[in-house]
Amino acid sequence: MDEHIERVLIDTQEIKTIVARLGDEITAHYRALETFDLIVVGLLRGSFVFAADLVRVINLPLIMDFMTVSSYGDETASTGNVKVVMDLDESIEGKDVLMVEDIIDTGNTFAKVLRLMHHRRPRTLKICTFLNKPSRRLVDVPIDFCGRTIEDEFVCGYGLDFAQRYRNLPYVGVLSREVLEG
Ligand code: IMP
Ligand code: MG
């Protein structure tokens, strides 16, 4: 599998450092509020690895929920045609919602998801993304907690896929040109 990876962009140790820092930032943010009722929402499938690591370094009471949205486009770019495939189990009304995403690229997917979430009237809504590709942004997305900004390269691993594969790599790598171009 690793033969398809051209280069490691973020190794396992760096991932750990990033996640620990985010955990501290998030913990401090909610602690500073007078009261909070935290619900962490992971967007599937991409955020499952990151969300699992992240909640273990958030030192606060919280509940966890997941949502699957499908975003139509080709294998490496979304179009903003977002459909909820699996909705949340929990009501988020009046709750402090922390959305967890693997990567924000064009912003198309997340902008739609955010609008949907706002309609459900959470008390607060914050966004945490492991990776951010600002150079590709088409729609503005307010990011509250960001793991790392990366260049315009297609990456895989640590939950991120190419055609559903490579999610289980324990690092973030740049996929080789041969794989990307088929
Ligand atoms: P957006 O709507 O363009 O922001 O796309 C967000 C989604 O596209 C992410 O949740 C990922 O599933 C996928 N995506 C964007 N860039 C990458 C990448 O470099 N590797 C893997 N998936 C990506
Ligand atoms: Mg994906």
Side-chain angles (χ1 to χ4, degrees):
M1 174 197 314
D2 293 33
E3 81 209 39
H4 297 153
I5 301 298
E6 199 169 87
R7 141 177 90 80
V8 174
L9 190 65
I10 310 175
D11 65 21
T12 305
Q13 189 50 52
E14 194 189 342
I15 290 174
K16 224 177 152 180
T17 306
I18 291 170
V19 173
R21 193 231 330 136
L22 289 172
D24 289 347
E25 285 178 20
I26 291 166
T27 303
H29 170 79
Y30 289 101
R31 279 225 175 108
L33 302 180
E34 221 153 79
T35 59
F36 61 86
D37 191 355
L38 183 58
I39 171 161
V40 177
V41 172
L43 280 191
L44 296 176
R45 292 175 230 178
S47 77
F48 83 107
V49 180
F50 173 49
D53 282 348
L54 185 67
V55 289
R56 283 180 286 180
V57 291
I58 298 177
N59 192 10
L60 303 168
L62 59 84
I63 67 167
M64 198 72 254
D65 205 348
F66 293 95
M67 185 179 213
T68 308
V69 298
S70 70
S71 162
Y72 301 106
D74 63 24
E75 270 158 353
T76 61
S78 69
T79 55
N81 250 329
V82 173
K83 198 177 112 191
V84 176
V85 175
M86 185 194 74
D87 208 338
L88 300 174
D89 279 337
E90 306 291 331
S91 163
I92 60 167
E93 193 173 341
K95 303 279 174 71
D96 297 292
V97 176
L98 177 67
M99 303 287 300
V100 177
E101 180 58 307
D102 54 353
I103 185 165
I104 298 180
D105 185 36
T106 64
N108 277 324
T109 310
F110 216 67
K112 290 275 164 64
V113 172
L114 280 183
R115 206 177 314 154
L116 195 86
M117 291 292 127
H118 275 301
H119 277 135
R120 299 180 182 182
R121 308 195 168 281
R123 191 172 82 114
T124 62
L125 184 57
K126 295 284 169 189
I127 296 158
C128 176
T129 187
F130 179 59
L131 298 177
N132 183 21
K133 269 195 224 175
S135 62
R136 297 249 312 162
R137 199 76 87 249
L138 297 174
V139 188
D140 191 42
V141 174
I143 299 173
D144 301 286
F145 306 99
C146 177
R148 222 187 97 169
T149 292
I150 64 167
E151 300 296 313
D152 181 10
E153 281 180 306
F154 197 82
V155 294
C156 280
Y158 198 61
L160 291 133
D161 74 305
F162 174 68
Q164 299 306 333
R165 303 187 69 183
Y166 311 105
R167 292 196 199 272
N168 57 323
L169 295 176
Y171 56 82
V172 176
V174 177
L175 208 55
S176 70
R177 235 161 238 290
E178 296 89 85
V179 177
L180 272 176
E181 288 161 7

